[in-house]
Amino acid sequence: MARRVDRFAIIGGGRVGTAVGNILQRKGEQVVAVASRSSDSLRTVERYIKGVLLTTDVVKAGKKGNAIIITTPDDLIADTCLSLASARAVKKGDYLVHMSGALGLDVLEPAEEMGARTASIHPLQTFADVRGAVRNIPGSVFAVTTREKGPQAWAGGLVRKLGGDPVLLAEEDKTLYHIGAVVASNLLVALEHAAELIYQEIGLHEEKALKALMPLIEGTVRNLRRLGTEKALTGPVARGDIGVLRRHLECLEHEEREQLLKVYTSLSMFALDLAEAEVSKARCEEIEELLLHFS
Ligand SMILES: NC(=O)c1ccc[n+]([C@@H]2O[C@H](COP(=O)([O-])OP(=O)(O)OC[C@H]3O[C@@H](n4cnc5c(N)ncnc54)[C@H](OP(=O)(O)O)[C@@H]3O)[C@@H](O)[C@H]2O)c1
């Protein structure tokens, strides 16, 4: 039997799709087509992926490939799959993959009914632009979700071609997995924005505020990498410094700082969880009581 050769068609020429196509092509893989919504995004794709069909016609792109990667926004994956399946642009034996962290494989069921093998591969990484994605996809952990063993091996192989590290994830765990990623990355950014606003309140200009905070943020990340969460935690909760905590909470007990008070008290509860190894039980209980009082 002739060895199967993957012909990759990418649907969605944004940050992730363009970077995936670029990496695969540089690895010597056959990328045959990229479909995107607008000719604007296709112009960017053209700078990164050479000599392939570039089209706004999803079906045309799908028909050229036997390994289709959907990298549209999450909300459009189900409709994109349906369009491909209804037009028979995905066939028995083809592979169809999406790269969303939040969605399961139900969105790919129309293709599964056509005999295609489905998977999701999600890079546990954040990509603000194509260049960043090209740089950071290699070396990232990828959650691989499949319903069968066959596509599991293939999807793992695809991740390795991208330079990633595949880790299996059950379909039913995807939502919680994705919440973990959002907390670790997106909400960290939101948290830095909260710190930025606090510094603006004491007169620092927006850009200066983040610039001033950057060495602190980077130092924290380095400590996390080196020591893990428990040992990286410093500050009043880690020291059991209840006087400082009370002063912070009283300062935040202000109508306009209501959200900040909620964030401070609830995250301090998680910090307390980490501090329990170092701070006495009695002091931890006092801190908990104080935090609950202000919650
Ligand atoms: N960015 C991240 O940090 C990250 C990380 C992990 C996983 N992911 C996943 O990767 C996938 C892609 O995300 P992304 O950040 O690359 O999104 P993106 O930059 O917004 O790109 C989405 C692309 O899809 C195109 N598109 C929209 N509707 C389409 C349609 N009907 N048919 C074909 N193409 C269409 C858009 O074209 P136009 O530009 O012309 O509108 C755009 O180029 C998502 O599933 C996301 O969850 C993203």
Side-chain angles (χ1 to χ4, degrees):
M1 205 169 75
R3 198 176 76 87
R4 182 199 143 89
V5 176
D6 290 325
R7 283 175 281 111
F8 290 100
I10 295 166
I11 314 292
R15 287 163 285 200
V16 173
T18 307
V20 162
N22 175 279
I23 296 169
L24 287 174
Q25 207 169 51
R26 282 188 292 112
K27 288 275 171 85
E29 295 295 323
Q30 273 192 47
V31 180
V32 291
V34 180
S36 206
R37 192 180 55 90
S38 67
S39 36
D40 262 8
S41 54
L42 288 173
R43 267 194 289 278
T44 308
V45 173
E46 205 172 11
R47 301 212 314 265
Y48 287 88
I49 308 173
K50 306 292 177 194
V52 304
L53 170 72
L54 299 177
T55 175
T56 51
D57 187 335
V58 167
V59 168
K60 212 164 153 184
K63 280 187 171 164
K64 277 194 79 92
N66 63 3
I68 303 172
I69 305 178
I70 302 181
T71 47
T72 61
D74 286 7
D75 284 349
L76 299 177
I77 294 174
D79 277 355
T80 304
C81 175
L82 192 59
S83 308
L84 290 166
S86 321
R88 299 183 180 276
V90 57
K91 311 166 293 299
K92 189 169 181 332
D94 285 358
Y95 286 100
L96 183 71
V97 180
H98 74 67
M99 295 189 62
S100 160
L103 301 181
L105 297 174
D106 47 333
V107 289
L108 302 184
E109 271 165 13
E112 218 172 81
E113 283 158 20
M114 304 293 294
R117 293 167 281 189
T118 62
S120 76
I121 58 164
H122 176 256
L124 193 53
Q125 185 54 274
T126 172
F127 310 114
D129 54 24
V130 177
R131 206 141 65 99
V134 168
R135 196 177 325 119
N136 292 326
I137 284 178
S140 294
V141 165
F142 278 67
V144 173
T145 303
T146 61
R147 287 177 173 172
E148 287 163 33
K149 280 264 184 270
Q152 192 179 89
W154 182 86
L158 172 59
V159 168
R160 278 187 284 270
K161 280 175 193 162
L162 292 169
D165 180 12
V167 171
L168 298 182
L169 175 71
E171 193 174 357
E172 61 271 24
D173 292 337
K174 279 206 83 171
T175 303
L176 211 47
Y177 156 84
H178 195 241
I179 291 171
V182 168
V183 170
S185 172
N186 312 143
L187 297 190
L188 178 64
V189 175
L191 205 58
E192 298 313 335
H193 177 55
E196 209 173 47
L197 291 177
I198 294 171
Y199 279 13
Q200 280 173 38
E201 207 177 314
I202 55 170
L204 253 77
H205 185 267
E206 193 179 339
E207 278 168 32
K208 281 213 170 122
L210 187 61
K211 214 169 164 188
L213 287 163
M214 241 18 247
L216 174 64
I217 299 166
E218 285 167 355
T220 308
V221 172
R222 279 196 299 275
N223 287 345
L224 275 170
R225 184 189 291 274
R226 204 161 57 85
L227 305 167
T229 47
E230 200 174 283
K231 291 214 159 47
L233 184 72
T234 58
V237 175
R239 289 191 298 269
D241 231 337
I242 202 161
V244 174
L245 271 177
R246 186 174 290 110
R247 199 181 306 177
H248 287 180
L249 293 164
E250 283 168 1
C251 173
L252 291 174
E253 204 182 27
H254 185 287
E255 209 180 313
E256 283 164 27
R257 297 180 186 147
E258 196 184 340
Q259 286 304 327
L260 212 48
L261 180 64
K262 278 189 200 159
V263 169
Y264 193 101
T265 51
S266 51
L267 287 182
S268 293
M269 283 293 190
F270 284 98
L272 190 59
D273 202 35
L274 292 171
E276 274 167 2
E278 293 293 327
V279 179
S280 74
K281 192 164 181 278
R283 182 45 64 96
C284 283
E285 281 168 7
E286 267 183 90
I287 293 176
E288 187 175 5
E289 208 175 301
L290 180 72
L291 292 172
L292 287 173
H293 174 78
F294 281 91
S295 296

